Amino acid sequence: MDSMHQEVVVGSSGAMLLGVMGDPIRHSKSPVMHNAALKALGIPGSYVPLHIKPEGLEGAVQAFRSLGFRGANVTIPHKVEVMKYLDMIDEGAAKVGAVNTIVNDNGVLTGFNTDGIGYVRSLKEEACSDLSHKHIVVLGAGGAARGIIHALTHEKPGLISVINRTESKAKKLAEEWCSLADIRGLAETEAKEAVASADVLINTTSVGMHPYIEDIPLPEEWIPEGIVVSDLIYNPLTTKLLQRSEEKGCTVHGGLGMFVNQGAFAFEYWTGQAAPVEIMKQTVLGSF
Ligand code: ATR
């Protein structure tokens, strides 16, 4: 990955302070992953979980700045709300409408979104190296879907079909980005037909996430044999959707790679150094 900053900037204590703001935050794997990365590169510092309630977000961002934190990740439910407390928003994050990474350059806070690029890098490395001309079906149209769909539009896909329980959200998203790719928004009633011609099927909804591991976001008989099936969920590592897809000869791709890559891109913004991706991945795997 490219280095984005030349110098390592540290807090006033001489150590690099990093963290993740969310509610809840106890189960986040980000601290263990980033602390392993700092250690591997010999960078003095610490990455801490920051349990921030919505009503405390503004104060937390001010404190982040005054305490000299170098960077933070931002997770549910703050990814949209946090934008109004930052000084600058990167163009990609502005288009997606969500921030998952903050960089503090001497008191100037800039918001980035590494979710989409992290996801697409992982999908291409692990499951489908060339997405051009493919029919990509995306289940869900929430914040996670926006990040990955925006990144997918840069891959010259043939068609992106967005299917959502609330049809209007899928349609609105498709209208907004129709100049970037051939993209259409569909209701769940149109899902069966769309999925039948999919080359790549991506679940961005929370259906199948721990503890509801027996849930599946669409009837398994709809999944075409031999396609690529991807799930953003990484807990469990293999969702029921991926299990059933694998039984049908599909190439399956779980959410761990996305999680590690979004963290790796963020780490590079903060440290200016290439992230030790394999160490980060193995650390997360070992923490389950
Ligand atoms: P995230 O940031 O993780 O994407 P989100 O913005 O709340 O979270 O979006 C969740 C997505 O999963 C939405 O597309 C949601 O559908 P709605 O827009 O209709 O709410 C979808 N989703 C969540 N639970 C679902 C369920 N049980 N069945 C179908 N879709 C579901």
Side-chain angles (χ1 to χ4, degrees):
M1 294 181 191
D2 295 329
S3 294
M4 294 141 190
H5 294 269
Q6 296 308 311
E7 289 173 39
V8 175
V9 181
V10 295
S12 51
S13 65
M16 183 178 289
L17 301 176
L18 303 168
V20 54
M21 302 182 190
D23 176 30
I25 203 63
R26 208 153 53 91
H27 297 289
S28 171
K29 300 284 185 196
S30 290
V32 71
M33 177 172 79
H34 283 287
N35 282 318
L38 288 170
K39 191 170 167 212
L41 297 191
I43 300 172
S46 191
Y47 184 112
V48 292
L50 300 164
H51 187 189
I52 313 292
K53 296 271 184 200
E55 60 275 19
L57 183 62
E58 182 176 9
V61 175
Q62 299 305 347
F64 168 85
R65 194 195 317 258
S66 55
L67 290 170
F69 269 72
R70 168 61 174 158
N73 286 124
V74 182
T75 188
I76 290 171
H78 304 314
K79 288 187 184 186
V80 177
E81 200 62 17
V82 77
M83 296 174 79
K84 63 178 180 236
Y85 305 124
L86 305 179
D87 303 305
M88 291 194 288
I89 306 290
D90 162 74
E91 192 186 332
K95 285 202 176 117
V96 171
V99 156
N100 80 324
T101 301
I102 304 174
V103 179
N104 179 3
D105 281 309
N106 300 315
V108 178
L109 307 188
T110 306
F112 297 86
N113 194 315
T114 67
D115 284 334
I117 49 174
Y119 172 78
V120 171
R121 172 180 280 231
S122 148
L123 179 68
K124 288 172 74 175
E125 278 176 1
E126 295 175 35
C128 189
S129 59
D130 183 8
L131 294 163
S132 61
H133 310 297
K134 298 281 197 298
H135 178 199
I136 304 174
V137 174
V138 179
L139 306 178
R146 285 184 67 87
I148 71 142
I149 292 168
H150 191 261
L152 286 169
T153 63
H154 296 115
E155 299 296 322
K156 303 185 177 61
L159 172 65
I160 302 177
S161 301
V162 185
I163 299 164
N164 199 42
R165 180 176 61 181
T166 311
E167 181 185 0
S168 58
K169 264 164 79 178
K171 288 234 178 330
K172 190 163 167 276
L173 191 154
E175 259 170 46
E176 191 179 334
W177 290 340
C178 63
S179 64
L180 304 178
D182 193 357
I183 173 166
R184 59 180 185 168
L186 303 174
E188 282 187 325
T189 48
E190 300 165 286
K192 186 177 179 186
E193 201 188 333
V195 170
S197 65
D199 299 305
V200 182
L201 172 67
I202 304 170
N203 176 43
T204 75
T205 77
S206 50
V207 179
M209 191 186 291
H210 182 81
Y212 305 105
I213 59 171
E214 284 307 315
D215 291 352
I216 186 163
L218 78 177
E220 59 189 81
E221 52 278 13
W222 292 6
I223 304 165
E225 286 179 14
I227 66 166
V228 172
V229 179
S230 171
D231 202 326
L232 265 57
I233 294 169
Y234 68 90
N235 186 8
L237 288 169
T238 307
T239 57
K240 187 161 179 184
L241 171 67
L242 296 187
Q243 277 172 30
R244 294 291 178 262
S245 300
E246 203 162 27
E247 286 160 16
K248 293 184 133 187
C250 296
T251 302
V252 299
H253 171 250
L256 180 67
M258 171 184 177
F259 176 69
V260 172
N261 282 346
Q262 63 76 30
F265 279 113
F267 187 88
E268 292 177 11
Y269 279 121
W270 301 324
T271 67
Q273 298 192 41
V277 178
E278 198 49 40
I279 287 173
M280 293 164 77
K281 187 173 186 175
Q282 291 309 321
T283 304
V284 176
L285 272 174
S287 74
F288 277 98

